[in-house]
Amino acid sequence: MRVHPISALLVLAIAVSLPACKKDAESKDGKAAAEASASTLAVSTTPVVERDMASGITVSGPVAAVEEMQLGVELSGLRVTGLNVDVGQSVRQGQVLLTLDHRTLDSDLAQARAALREAQTGADLARANLARGQNLAADKYISAMQLDELRAARTQGEARVATARAAFDAASLRRSFADLRAPANGVISKRLVQSGQVVAAGMELMRLIRDGRLEWRADLPASQLAAVKPGDTIRLTSREGVNVDGVVRAVSPGVDATTRTGTVYANLPAPQGLQPGTFLQGHIATGTTRAKVVPASSIVMRDGFPTVFVIENGNKARAIRVEQGQKTGDLVEITRGLETGKAVVTEGAGFLADGDTVRVVAPTTSAAAKPQTAGSQP
């Protein structure tokens, strides 16, 4: 049979074009797969592990004086004539801090001193009369009744001396009240009186921080209070970034029925310029504990909650809300939400959303070299 020349040419053209079309299709499929792979976020993962971590409690509380003494006088209606100290000044025990007008007290003391001398003179005369009377009675020159009267006079003279001495001591004591003296070494923390002011007994005039000692106090719920004991160390961080170390001195034996909290008291041996009343955050070290930890880079905030991403079905990221505990170095304790061994996303977690398709790759060199140990609290 004779084949038409045009038909032969068509068959030849189709045969030549078929391999070319197949190559173009394969090229397009490969390009689409490459684009899909390029659009998938590359992430790295690390497993949840258990480690011994330095356990502790972070809480805020005020700095206060260990003992702040309220100072006043025991006299009323007297005017302040001298102020010898000001706020912030260090004082010694027995130092005169304040003086009242003591002219009337000086007069009363002089009268009491004179009355005592008079009583002592009378008592001396009564004793001398009794001695002479006893000699006369021995020779029968005076009667027994007269001798008894001389003995009574001596007793009365000695009683007057005792009365006069008590009055003198009372006047001396009142005179001493006119000088307000420091009851102990310390620092004046407050002054509530001015020179020339008339004061009353019991009125607070000054405050003294005994020995300049400061402490830090924090209120804790019962669940945390039980973990703290005397001798635990604390670290306070001031607003200037200065760390101040202290030691727990005492822990409340119970909790308040209203607030359900108890108080921790910590001594600050070297307060380094801290002021009473300053509210600071402190970390109380309570020992070590076994905890589930993940790198801090794996935790991101989603809708205000700490969240981690785990990989399911090989390439799907699923968001899980977790509860955090202590942070030590680059590791964060997970108290709820994850199981040991579960792989969480570290690099790339901040760019993920629930359900994203991901591609798991090895961590970068810098991340792989990052130490993953539970060190001490910074």
Side-chain angles (χ1 to χ4, degrees), residues 257-303:
T258 303
T259 62
R260 303 295 182 185
T261 60
T263 305
V264 173
Y265 303 87
N267 286 335
L268 303 176
Q272 299 180 7
L274 294 182
Q275 300 296 326
T278 307
F279 210 77
L280 298 179
Q281 185 180 75
H283 180 82
I284 307 174
T286 57
T288 59
T289 185
R290 196 73 176 169
K292 292 180 289 187
V293 297
V294 297
S297 60
S298 66
I299 300 178
V300 295
M301 299 301 293
R302 293 291 184 268
D303 299 326

Side-chain angles (χ1 to χ4, degrees), residues 59-68 189 207 209 212-219 234-240 242-246 249 263-282:
V59 64
S60 296
V63 176
V66 174
E67 183 179 356
E68 189 171 28
S189 60
R207 289 190 184 180
I209 299 176
R213 294 174 57 201
L214 299 180
E215 67 179 3
W216 177 75
R217 303 171 183 173
D219 292 332
I234 67 162
R235 169 160 288 190
L236 305 181
T237 303
S238 65
R239 292 185 178 89
E240 294 76 17
V242 178
N243 292 327
V244 178
D245 294 328
R249 172 175 58 86
T263 305
V264 173
Y265 303 87
N267 286 335
L268 303 176
Q272 299 180 7
L274 294 182
Q275 300 296 326
T278 307
F279 210 77
L280 298 179
Q281 185 180 75

Side-chain angles (χ1 to χ4, degrees), residues 55-57 218-230 232 248 250-255 260-264 284-287:
S55 61
I57 299 169
D219 292 332
L220 298 176
S223 57
Q224 294 180 331
L225 190 69
V228 183
K229 61 184 181 301
D232 287 344
V248 175
V251 180
S252 296
V255 297
R260 303 295 182 185
T261 60
T263 305
V264 173
I284 307 174
T286 57

